[in-house]
């Protein structure tokens, strides 16, 4: 008799447990994974893609190891106006270096950079910019560089919002990254930005670990410090410019698999979206269109908006998107809020 | 009263469940994760490293996201004698190509390769080898290359064991990889072999996905097939020679983190082990010494064995290992069995 009661109790407990688990699962499913998105076809496209590729009974099912999603960074997951954040870093870094290297003050192009004359700085030719990049992004150990970038981010502020650059990430895109990861996707950055630069904050800010950052790649040189300690020194030698055709090339080099989803915002992302879309099965290609001058910026000839040169979204790209079924994300109407700090 | 019985039943069920889980955990812990290793200091070094770095109460604890282990391939996780497998592939591939390109038969260095004269082939200078690599490893799409390599592995056999090359992997090293992965480590290949070549079989054979293969890297070129389909074509352009100093450089490029464990077998792995060992906390550096002519091969001046030039383990490397506390794995005495097909 006692045994019977126990068995019954055990059974009932089991039922209770299952019912509780069931309720939890329901509650989970009913939680909106994309709360910063307005309802509509854009949000629906994301949710349907994730559901189809993770449902074992779907013909579009993608095995977990192949779930790769590629995100451009500048203009796609954070603000890139009025200037790419890494360019701001390089320019401001010249001033820091001039404190211990006063000779920079009288030497071009550093003299122009130190003058703060934005118009003159904007006109610097490519070979001058290369000198600035070489000065600020190479010559130090990879560990020293990491410290320099980290320290800069602690105090640097965006001129418009007066907030750290790492707060100017798009909350809706962060939700997409988190939603994809919660469904077994590995989220990668595929950015024109410097790989080592983005790696400094990508894990903390976006949850993207260093090994999942594909960026413009510069060489390093293995050697030994005076005390014999092995070290890697950053070299002014470009291995891959991770922009335009360099994006699918960088994806192949670093990942070796074709992504199932790709997110961009400019002509620099066209080839990455084409390459992603050329795979079979379900593929999701999306482009962020900046059409919200009030909450962020409005640019892109695709919409008759000004061409700011920083992250251009041309009419040709827009036409290709329409033709190939890529989804255009309209900031103004698709995003309920843009930044986490907004009410 | 009824409620009380239920509560008691629930409690007892909980106790039973916990005790069952506890037993399972014990049973798991008591299963030898390295059954192909003989007991001794080498095996002990591996187990102690894993235990220390995964025990939250240990001062040597490593957070899961930082658990990176790097493995050389040729001579470390599979047989590399009498010739590197990829070199065999390239030479045999020339014969396949000659069927549709008969002009190769009368053109050097392909004529020599097709002659089958091993002595003459071994004497080919570097510039001839480069021509052979360019012919067999570039000019096709990345997908075509994958198919070519896959097909070769289906029929190619090692001259000594008359078995597919993918069966000539060292069972003890596979166990180390699996043991590390079971403890939250990401296992990477860091090989002098071609990245795209190794990626073809690394997931199936070793459980190492393509994105965790760091190898010698060649460029690809993004373009379009005649029907407009985007494609990546393999280029005869070396981006990084993943050998010697190239190994830590490749690790930084592809992973962006310093490994906690590194496994090699030759002078080509020295810098990778130095770089790994220069990190703080617990680090495990190991070198496979081939001292078993009967079951595999015996070579390496370190032990007064012949220098076969393929994966040289010099006296200088041996001395550095002794000095720095790197662990030398002696095949003959440390490995109970070498291949999975052995009884």
């Amino acid at each position: 008799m006692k045994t019977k009661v126990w068995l019954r109790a055990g059974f009932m407990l089991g039922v209770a447990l299952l019912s509780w688990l069931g309720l939890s699962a329901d509650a989970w499913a009913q939680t909106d994974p994309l709360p910063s998105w307005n309802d509509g076809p854009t949000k629906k496209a994301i949710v349907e893609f994730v559901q189809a590729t993770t449902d074992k009974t779907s013909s579009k099912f993608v095995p977990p190891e192949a779930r790769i999603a590629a995100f451009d960074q500048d203009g796609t997951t954070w603000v890139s106006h009025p200037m790419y954040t890494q360019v701001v870093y390089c320019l401001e870094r010249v001033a820091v270096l001039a404190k211990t290297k006063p000779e920079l003050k009288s030497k071009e192009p550093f003299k122009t950079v130190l003058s703060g004359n934005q118009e003159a700085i904007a006109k610097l030719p490519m070979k001058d910019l290369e000198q600035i990049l070489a000065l600020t992004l190479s010559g130090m150990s990879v560990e020293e560089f990491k410290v320099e970038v980290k320290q800069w981010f602690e105090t640097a502020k965006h001129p418009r919002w007066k907030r750290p650059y790492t707060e100017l990430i798009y909350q809706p895109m962060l939700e997409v990254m988190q939603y994809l990861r919660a469904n077994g996707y590995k989220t990668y950055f595929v950015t024109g930005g410097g790989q080592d630069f983005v790696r400094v904050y990508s894990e903390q800010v976006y949850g993207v670990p260093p090994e999942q950052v594909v960026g413009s790649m510069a060489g390093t040189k293995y050697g030994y410090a005076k005390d014999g300690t092995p070290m890697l020194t950053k070299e002014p030698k470009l291995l891959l410019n991770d922009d335009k055709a360099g994006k699918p090339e960088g994806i192949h080099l670093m990942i070796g698999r074709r992504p199932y989803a790709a997110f961009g915002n400019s002509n620099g992302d066209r080839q990455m979206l084409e390459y992603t879309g050329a795979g079979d099965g379900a593929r999701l290609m999306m482009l962020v269109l900046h059409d919200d001058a009030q909450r962020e910026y409005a640019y892109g000839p695709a919409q008759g908006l000004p061409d700011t040169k920083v992250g251009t979204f041309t009419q040709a790209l827009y036409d290709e998107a329409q033709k190939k079924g890529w989804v255009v994300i309209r900031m103004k109407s698709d995003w309920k809020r843009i930044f986490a700090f907004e009410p």
Side-chain angles (χ1 to χ4, degrees), chain A:
Chain A
M1 177 65 195
K2 213 177 174 185
T3 315
K4 260 195 180 169
V5 171
W6 270 41
L7 279 173
R8 186 183 139 81
F11 174 76
M12 293 306 287
L13 204 78
V15 169
L17 192 70
L18 283 173
S19 132
W20 176 79
L21 284 170
L23 276 174
S24 291
D26 276 352
W28 177 254
Q30 279 159 22
T31 305
D32 184 351
L34 302 171
S36 298
W37 290 72
N38 288 317
D39 288 328
T42 314
K43 179 175 179 173
K44 208 173 154 222
I46 302 168
V47 174
E48 283 182 354
F49 168 81
V50 170
Q51 286 176 347
T53 56
T54 55
D55 172 3
K56 276 194 178 171
T57 68
S58 163
S59 63
K60 294 174 178 172
F61 178 73
V62 176
E65 67 276 12
R67 292 182 198 159
I68 303 285
F71 290 81
D72 167 59
Q73 189 194 206
D74 293 299
T76 300
T77 63
W78 77 355
V79 171
S80 63
H81 270 66
M83 215 183 258
Y84 291 125
T85 307
Q86 191 177 356
V87 175
V88 180
Y89 170 78
C90 291
L91 295 176
E92 294 192 1
R93 181 79 196 151
V94 173
V96 176
L97 289 169
K99 284 181 196 160
T100 50
K101 294 179 177 182
E103 67 275 18
L104 294 174
K105 291 177 191 167
S106 53
K107 201 181 157 190
E108 289 296 359
F110 312 111
K111 196 178 162 184
T112 299
V113 172
L114 293 166
S115 76
N117 181 339
Q118 295 302 319
E119 212 173 313
I121 293 170
K123 277 183 194 158
L124 289 172
M126 186 54 74
K127 68 165 183 43
D128 283 353
L129 289 177
E130 279 170 6
Q131 264 192 278
I132 295 163
L133 299 187
L135 175 78
T136 56
L137 302 177
S138 68
M140 69 295 282
S141 76
V142 297
E143 284 84 9
E144 283 163 355
F145 178 71
K146 203 171 160 178
V147 170
E148 290 164 8
V149 175
K150 216 169 196 162
Q151 284 178 343
W152 181 78
F153 270 106
E154 279 164 16
T155 56
K157 296 230 160 73
H158 189 280
R160 174 166 161 189
W161 286 276
K162 321 283 182 214
R163 285 177 177 272
Y165 288 92
T166 48
E167 287 186 20
L168 296 174
I169 64 171
Y170 303 141
Q171 181 62 22
M173 294 306 287
L174 186 64
E175 288 169 6
V176 174
M177 293 178 120
Q178 289 165 339
Y179 178 42
L180 284 167
R181 289 198 290 262
N183 283 279
Y185 276 86
K186 269 192 181 177
T187 53
Y188 280 82
F189 271 125
V190 179
T191 170
Q195 195 158 282
D196 284 347
F197 184 83
V198 178
R199 278 170 168 171
V200 175
Y201 55 84
S202 64
E203 188 153 33
Q204 205 190 331
V205 175
Y206 294 102
V208 175
E211 62 270 29
Q212 285 166 223
V213 174
V214 182
S216 288
M217 306 167 201
T220 57
K221 198 174 167 59
Y222 179 81
Y224 305 89
K226 275 182 193 157
D227 67 355
T229 307
M231 59 182 289
L232 289 168
T233 304
K234 285 177 69 62
E235 296 262 283
K237 180 189 162 193
L238 189 68
L239 294 180
L240 188 131
N241 181 7
D242 199 55
D243 193 33
K244 299 192 173 71
K247 290 209 174 192
E249 293 165 8
I251 286 171
H252 179 72
L253 184 72
M254 297 282 294
I255 314 177
R257 306 190 200 251
R258 193 192 299 262
Y260 275 82
F263 303 81
N265 79 307
S266 81
N267 288 1
D269 303 310
R270 186 169 71 86
Q271 290 86 343
M272 170 169 79
L273 267 66
E274 288 175 350
Y275 180 66
T276 301
D280 51 16
R283 307 274 166 169
L284 180 67
M285 283 68 65
M286 303 192 96
L287 285 168
V288 175
L289 179 73
H290 295 255
D291 60 354
D292 194 336
Q294 207 186 334
R295 293 190 300 169
E296 204 242 12
Y297 294 99
Y299 54 94
Q303 300 296 293
L305 297 169
D307 181 359
T308 57
K309 305 292 178 205
V310 179
T312 304
F313 190 144
T314 59
Q315 187 60 44
L317 179 65
Y318 190 83
D319 293 344
E320 186 169 352
Q322 295 296 103
K323 197 181 138 198
K324 296 194 170 158
W326 301 348
V327 183
V328 175
I329 300 167
R330 286 159 201 279
M331 274 193 147
K332 205 169 176 174
S333 46
D334 283 325
W335 289 358
K336 204 175 283 178
R337 64 173 186 171
I338 296 183
F339 304 112
F341 56 76
E342 285 171 358

